Amino acid sequence: MSIVEKYKKYRKAGYFDKFDYHWGMTIDLDRCTGCEACVVACTAENNLPIVGEENYRLKREIKWLRIERYWDGDYPDAKLNFIPILCQQCDQAPCETPCPVGATYHNQDGLNTQIYNRCIGTRTCAVYCPYEVRYFNWFTYKWDAPLEQQLNPDVSVREKGVMEKCTFCIQRIRDAKDTAKDEDRRRVRDGEVKPACVQSCATEALVFGDLNDPDAKVSKLYKDKRGYKVLEELNTAPSVVYLKKVKAHV
Amino acid sequence: MSISVLDALQPFKKAVFIGLFGLFGLVVGVWANTTYFSDKAPVQPINFSHQIHAGENEIPCMYCHAHAATSTSAGVPSVEKCMGCHKAIATDRPEIQKLTNYWNNREPIPWIKVHDVPDFVYFPHKRHIQAGLECQQCHGDVQNMAVVTRVSDLKMPFCVDCHTEREVEHGRDCWTCHK
Amino acid sequence: MSDINRRDFLKFVGAGGVGAGAGFYLADASKKTVEYLIPQVVPPEDYVPGVASWYNTVCTQCDAACGISVRTKEGRAKKIEGNANHPVNQGGLCARGQAGLNALYNPDRVRTPLLLEGGRYREISWDRALTELGRRISSLRIQNQIDKVSVLSNTQSGHIGELLDRFIQLLGTDHYAQYSVTAPHAIQEANRISFGEPTLPYYDIANADVVVSFGADYLGTWLSPVHYSKAYGKLRQGRDHRGTTVQFESRMSLTGANADEWHAPNPGSEGLLAMAMANVVSRSSAVADAGAWSQSLSAYAPSRVAEQIGIDADKIEAVANAFASGNGLALAGGSALAGTNGVAVQVAVNVLNYLGGAIGREGGVIFNSDGPASKAASFAQLTEFAQQLGDRGTEVLMLLDANPVYDLPQSAGFSAAIENVPFVVSVNSFLDESSAMADLVLPLDTYLEAWSDASPNPGVGFSVSSIAQPVVQRVFDTKSLGDIVLGLSAQIGSELPIELPWTSAEEYLRGVWLDNYLAAEPGGNEKSFETFWRSVLSAGVVGQRPASVGGANVSLNSSATSGMDFGVGDFSGSESERPFVFQPYESVMMGVGRTANSPWLQETPDPLTSIVYGSWVELNPATAKELGIREGDLLEVASDSGTLTAPAFLYPGIRPDVIAMPMGQGHTEYGRYAKDRGVSPTRILSDLTDSRTGALATAATRVSISKTGERHGLIKNDGITRTLGRQILGPHSGGH
Amino acid sequence: MTTSVMGLFDYEDDFLAAARKLKDAGISDLTLMSPIPLHDAEKVLGLGSSAIRRFYLIGAIIGAVSGFALATFSALSFILPTGGRAIIAIPPFLVITYELTILFGVIATLIGFHVVSGLPAWRDKPYDEQTNVNQFSVSVELGEGKDADRIGQIMSSAGAVNVKQVEV
Amino acid sequence: MSEATYQEPRWDEVNRDVLATMLNTGPRYWWLLGISITVALVCFFGPWAYQLYVGVGAAGMNRSAVWGTYLSNFIFWIGLSHSGTLLSAVLHITQSDWRKAIYRSAEAMTLFSLMTAAFFVMVHVGRVWFVHWSAPIPNEMDLWPNFRSPLMFDVMAITTYLTASSIFIYMGSVPDFAAVRDASTGMRRRLYTIFSFGWRGTAKEWHTLGWAYTFFAVFVIPLAVSVHSIVSWDFAMSIVPGLHHTIFAPYFVCGAIYSGTAGIVTVMFIIRKYLNFERYIREIHLDNLGKLLVVLSLIWTYINIMEVFTTWYGGSSFEMEALKWRLTGFYAPLYWEMILFCAAVPLLMLSKKIRCNWKYMLIISILINIGMLTERFIIVATSLPRKFLPDSYGFYFPSGVEISITIGSFAIFTTLFLIFVKWVPSVSIYEVKETLKPLKRGSVEARS
């Protein structure tokens, strides 16, 4: 491709190629019970460190997926709402542009990715992220033997000074694609990939899939009338759609 | 008194020369180390010769490295596998006797990795075998090596260049290889 | 360069030399560290490096017996996931289930048998350990003093449980008990009284329209939370019309937080409430003897009892009517059944279900699960057991995976009793409070290393059983309970080895399953069993959901409520000096303490308070304001039977006259992650029990609280738990 | 080895006068040294605008071009889409261009200074230290058609406090 | 020495006085240097080494406040670096003579505070051993820095600024190096011969220098403005409530010049007092700088008011929360302290009495910089921990390491400045002479 063509092509804003896949998730707040099973599942799958009591006190926990609580009203009419917050894999991610070394970028699957071993730890992305779902390795965390035997070999263990975040369990996506290739399929089937959180969810509140596939369950739920995006007004174009909780009385 | 810069520079001449010699020495040192003390061909616990096995006897790579086509890691043959042949073959050779000792003590053989990628790299052998690559393209002509020697550093450019020229799908996307 | 003399030249050469050295060193330092490539000596079959293999087994982190699939790679367990084929959890898995790996790879596991010698544990071999123990027991047997051998075990379900029973029976000692802190005594007893079925029924939440729960935290900790969560998901959005849920409890549980309506009746008044609702329901009830019932329930008209309950009559009416009109389903558990009137409450709930026509109906209560009647000893029996230890002069006490010292209030008197037993054996994976007092500790496999089997209880509406198989090689030099029992019987000798001829738990298990298989399958033989066995192992479960889940039709005894006092039960401590009712609850992460040694769970925020590490006292903000208590103030909670101190947490979802505390923390042993962290509320519980079952009435203690003046900041995730008018929960979600 | 005549002056006006006289006497290659920049002295030598301006211009242009080129080509060498923005994003690249323009401009000016002023002075030149304190000096390099005495005489007539021959 | 009895120095006295500060320095200087180096090592490099070993966790930052004191100090030092060169350049072009006595030390200040700021970037990043990835160096991976990132603007801008201002100050001192050369012997003479390029002060040389210098001045002005605008963009380009303001660039630039000018006053005082420059640095300088400070403080106050006003008028929940927290939250005392020091106190300088009094001015200038330091801290510490999701609201308090490193940074600056004083004439000899009576018959009498 000549430099002029390149210039013409890459001059445009937005994504110059259609996403190969466009991984997205819907979270049904009416199903979600806030049981935190997904949080532990994420911890187990992605080698999230145990930061220890003192670091937790300093608010340095590393939980790629966390559940936020919001109270309505006061006793006796107090109502508690849960909302799982994970990386929204924004298509117009504020966190990607400011990285001076390009350690975080948007890949062809519509994923907002982080290359751990390229990161130099300016932490700008975390400042720019409105959802605060980027987590920093303040230290190199250790696993007391033999706990380290549990570490998932498909996910690298991050060292101190590195930013990390939810990847939609990209290693599982990769495995699924591998399987598809082995079986001479071009595409991954709907429901073939399930991030740890989605897999563990007992109420099936989380649904994951390819938004490019109109028949995928996630694509259908995407159009649900209860659907909305958190902090939509910031125009970050998240890939995660939340389905609003239903308020009902007997 | 003189205001000439050259005159002023005179006394620094020696210092500069010392610096230059030091620099030269540095280059020599690096060169010497990498040429004569290279870790490209580490000394293995058993002096195993791919030349004999893969070369002269023409045993296919995947007979021993059985998983290369089906798994991320090619797999190193189990001691049992070695013994499968060497119960009978060439049992008198000292190297084979080493092997037999390992087998008798039920100990694994601590081979030293020659070609190795860092932990943050995802390298599935099967993808590359299925893409029709020859083992030799990364590992060199192993069948002619009495002692296996690293032929490519397996650094990022090595992978990316190949991906680029073969126009691998998403071959230049970081997450294709990093994890 | 005329002016360069010898000395300068030497300088240059020197510089060159130094440079060379440095260069050589640099090049050396920049070399990769040697990585080894360790082959298998003899590869296990189906071993492929770099390819994950999945093994199905059963989770025992709680009593629900969910099916799990464990992902293993290079022979190490990497991840536990719900077994999608298993009817209990259908692929889902709770936080505690996920954290099973922490138990398997816990750094504080007992790694070899330990023998107490001169006040210190010495590592010994299994042979030595079993001989030691066998010798003592057999000598007692020979002297006909076998009743001086006492055995206390955690509830052992499945065939391993039967093996144990058999062993004890052969051993001949009558001093043997199994217990579980969470055993649902009240439900089983009440069901016996009401329906003559002393079992746990199947609650079909998925198909109910209105689920009214009296304190039952079925999404968090009650009986089979994952199964009920699945059902809940279906109830909410998984079907054409959305079911509603109502929760009555003094302290908002996880279920309460998710319920459409949450109401806090006076502590202990749930029985009345249920009766009041039954009263309303009976008017429109379709059941045959509805008329008779409405007569006998007339005393419980909402208008009459609303006062005692503390909820408006018309609210009760409304809920009751909703219950009656749709498919109503009433559940009871938690604090509602943890009063001295627990059975009464459950009976009242049974009446309500019956009148609502929920019995045997899809979307109701279905009595068909073949769950065994509970073997679990009640608190009263345990106190008796502890008493006996001294009375009969027990020589050898065997604790099988049991930790009474921590699990039970001091009033049970175990720590003292164990002190006086000459030789205490603890079979346990961890050095917990009780094991720490043992003379001999036998390291137990975790459930991921052992063979066993299980059928879920409560069931899932049809009969299900699954085999638990080891998913990894043993991490340490441990044995499974079955193996230990068999090994021990071999040591004890005489007729035991003949009666228990198996060499290993696996062999025993296969034997039993073979017998059952041959009994069930007429044309079955060894060969077909082999395939059957393998299919069960790979599926992880056997038992298929029938076309329709019918229930055995059970009817309510008309005399069920006779002689029942549905009033608010008794409480220890006078209301005047102990103004608050103390309600310990089962923590979602820690349960009742068995999972407190998991770093993941310690670091996973509590669903309702987001607090990690340690315990806290929940009290209503209004109460706190009154007493000038701020979050994090260290409070002294005093009951008639003891005091404890813990930081305060202001919890909007709790009655002003109730104080709640999570169980599970406050271990004094049990490994680095659990040790000396928080306090256990059970310590200050009174020994009041449910008169009918003798189960400990955990919600029947009154306490007073006072500030100690110290502060102990809570470690939690939450910043501000109000949306500040931001549309985080969806457009127009409002809320300030 | 050249010899030059140097006249030292206490006063600026004497010094300038001497310079002019010498110029009138047809001696053009004067070296006027003063402790501070003197515009009159420059006028005497007829120094107008300096060639250094071209350096600045060229430098700035090179800077601008290379700045934008650097940003563009580095962006193209590995296509890493971020936040749905363009790969070749003009606005941010203009900032880089701007900075590099100035950087190169400054460096070019520095080079220009050395080229134009003939500094650094590699070999010795006629110089008197007082000219950097409170005296002014005019020095003329002797060559054919230059009579040392005559020059010296012109200088002293203009009020030189000291006329000497300097050999360097 | 009051203006009345003031008697201006002779040209040779200028050389003598200025060179004296370099050629004969007493033990006091060495003590001072030793102390400041020690402090720098103990308070800055020690803790930094520790932090490198364990990780950035040694600082008090956390997941909601991932930026902390390091960044706020970085802005502070960059800010201090302004006005040094900028002021000097502006005044050079506007040909205001009073600049000439003070600009050298002012520019030095620019240079050294820039270097200190650069240190803070190193301290801030998580993996400083890979920081070279943010420089456009050709590499085998053919991976380049991401020039779309505001941080890369920073890298480029600061490099340029550092280069430009060091060249600027060096060019300005070449003739003075020559003066040092002439006054010294031996090795020092050799060194300064090299430093001064063999400067003779010929008309040609003066001519070229003049042109070059003017060009530098012309470049430096827009450069300096761009540098701090870019620093402000690091914040303003984010969407964090309380930082995402269009006014940030002018706000930062003005604040920078403000603190820089105050810094000049402080430095001026010290130089004048301890290097005995009473005859060169005089009330007139103080007076002008005082006026400048008043103007800047007014602009600064205006921008602050506008920031509050626009936020309040916009009334978005996010911005309002941020504002409320800033004005009334935990760090409110700091905020009001800043307002007091940077908006109220400077108004005292409206009175000439105070403006021309060294002691008062010293105090005021120091107060202003304390205020500016806290301003930067507030910007970082009150906005970041409270962004969009209230449940994730956190809190930031600097750790011991951070505080110690902050103190240490001042020691680094002092060390650099002391070295400068010893090696470079801290008052421009030849330009001072320009301001004196010219050596013309009639204007001065012949030396006795």
Side-chain angles (χ1 to χ4, degrees), chain C residues 340-426:
Chain C
T340 57
N341 61 348
V343 173
V345 172
Q346 180 62 49
V347 167
V349 170
N350 287 346
V351 173
L352 176 58
N353 273 327
Y354 175 75
L355 292 173
I359 306 299
R361 181 229 290 144
E362 177 177 69
V365 185
I366 297 165
F367 282 93
N368 66 355
S369 58
D370 47 9
S374 169
K375 293 182 292 183
S378 71
F379 178 71
Q381 291 161 315
L382 288 170
T383 326
E384 170 59 19
F385 186 98
Q387 183 64 28
Q388 279 287 320
L389 283 177
D391 295 357
R392 64 170 62 198
T394 295
E395 295 282 343
V396 176
L397 168 63
M398 291 172 67
L399 298 168
L400 307 183
D401 197 16
N403 184 9
V405 175
Y406 172 83
D407 291 339
L408 305 171
Q410 288 147 325
S411 51
F414 259 96
S415 38
I418 293 178
E419 278 292 342
N420 303 331
V421 177
F423 192 73
V424 179
V425 188
S426 178

Side-chain angles (χ1 to χ4, degrees), chain C residues 273-287:
Chain C
L273 178 57
M275 289 308 257
M277 282 179 64
N279 168 294
V280 180
V281 173
S282 65
R283 299 175 204 151
S284 61
S285 175
V287 292

Side-chain angles (χ1 to χ4, degrees), chain A residues 58-61 66 68-70 97-100 117 119-124 126-129 135 138 159-160, chain E residues 52-54 56-57 59 61-63 66-67 124 126-127 133 145-146 149 151 234 238 240 387 391-393:
Chain A
L58 284 166
K59 220 174 191 321
R60 287 173 177 176
E61 78 277 14
R66 67 171 184 274
E68 300 204 334
R69 291 150 203 78
Y70 291 104
T97 23
C99 179
N117 51 305
C119 177
I120 64 172
T122 66
R123 310 195 279 292
T124 322
V127 172
Y128 282 35
C129 171
Y135 298 85
W138 298 103
E159 79 160 343
K160 71 187 171 199
Chain E
L52 282 175
Y53 178 68
V54 295
V56 192
M61 288 169 280
N62 56 44
R63 114 170 139 68
V66 288
W67 281 355
H124 169 79
R127 301 204 296 175
W133 282 342
N146 166 16
S149 152
L151 272 69
D234 293 350
S238 78
V240 178
K387 294 206 285 197
D391 188 89
S392 297
Y393 276 11

